[in-house]
Amino acid sequence: MKKVRIILFSLILLFYVFGLNYIINAHQQEEKEVSITVTTYFADVEPIIVNATGNYGSKLSFDDKLEDLHEHQFSFWMVNGVVKKDLTINHNFIVTENMELAAIFKPIGTYTVLFMDTNGKPLDIQYVLPGENAVEPDIIYPSKPGYTTGTNKWDKPLNDINSDTVINIVYKKINHNEYLLEVSGGFI
């Protein structure tokens, strides 16, 4: 039954992305076409990805009835890799560039713990009961030349989660090269 609801949500999302909620701004002179990717995250289901195009200046919003999904509720948006906790499910997005939107939903009675890389990509999403602990993600950590993750990989503790939480990976610079500069017959 849970998968049927999520499939139903996906169909509703497709319907809104491709049709109903594009409201063209009549005052916009430029008719530049931009791409929009909407990804939705639910517990225990692979992310659902919808690709669409829209015109520069058009508006995109999602019906707040999407939040009425049984067993899930809206946590927050990610807009081009930036978490926006202050936006509601039916926020009116104005399309001014290619956009990557991600809607994060959580099972009712839990908090979302989103583990993020420094490039704005989600590494892991966990759903935690109030006051419980998130666990170290079982992932292959991204590598960055000249940097490593130390024993404290995260910018926040994983224990006692009592709100939707975004935890960012922390990299430490390992490149400690020292150079000797010698100047003959001149100034620096």
Side-chain angles (χ1 to χ4, degrees):
M1 187 65 174
K2 185 177 185 180
K3 287 188 180 186
V4 171
R5 288 185 184 125
I6 291 178
I7 290 170
L8 178 63
F9 170 77
S10 300
L11 293 173
I12 292 169
L13 181 64
L14 280 169
F15 183 67
Y16 281 108
V17 168
F18 287 112
L20 277 186
N21 282 332
Y22 279 112
I23 302 168
I24 304 301
N25 184 347
H27 301 292
Q28 182 63 42
Q29 298 291 324
E30 189 174 346
E31 290 295 324
K32 177 182 169 187
E33 193 171 86
V34 295
S35 65
I36 303 159
T37 301
V38 180
T39 306
T40 53
Y41 294 90
F42 293 94
D44 303 324
V45 177
E46 289 296 315
I48 301 162
I49 301 171
V50 177
N51 293 303
T53 57
N55 290 328
Y56 182 96
S58 59
K59 295 178 183 178
L60 172 66
S61 65
F62 300 90
D63 193 336
D64 58 3
K65 289 182 177 38
L66 295 178
E67 193 170 28
D68 293 340
L69 290 172
H70 297 287
E71 303 173 14
H72 283 86
Q73 66 187 61
F74 179 72
S75 291
F76 45 78
W77 285 104
M78 286 187 351
V79 181
N80 294 331
V82 178
V83 175
K84 302 286 191 172
K85 288 186 175 183
D86 59 330
L87 303 181
T88 61
I89 184 69
N90 61 348
H91 179 75
N92 209 8
F93 293 98
I94 298 175
V95 180
T96 59
E97 62 184 342
N98 292 337
M99 294 182 75
E100 288 188 26
L101 301 173
I104 313 294
F105 289 85
K106 62 186 175 186
I108 293 174
T110 66
Y111 292 117
T112 302
V113 179
L114 175 63
F115 292 88
M116 294 285 290
D117 193 7
T118 55
N119 63 4
K121 300 292 182 197
L123 298 172
D124 190 31
I125 299 175
Q126 297 178 16
Y127 303 97
V128 179
L129 292 171
E132 296 291 323
N133 300 335
V135 296
E136 186 71 31
D138 184 20
I139 60 170
I140 298 172
Y141 290 94
S143 61
K144 302 215 183 284
Y147 292 86
T148 186
T149 57
T151 53
N152 297 326
K153 291 180 183 80
W154 307 106
D155 68 343
K156 294 182 184 84
L158 307 183
N159 60 333
D160 195 27
I161 303 296
N162 284 301
S163 64
D164 292 328
T165 304
V166 178
I167 300 176
N168 298 292
I169 195 166
V170 176
Y171 292 100
K172 294 189 325 189
K173 190 171 179 92
I174 58 172
N175 196 354
H176 299 292
N177 296 337
E178 291 185 26
Y179 298 95
L180 176 63
L181 178 64
E182 289 185 28
V183 178
S184 298
F187 298 97
I188 298 183

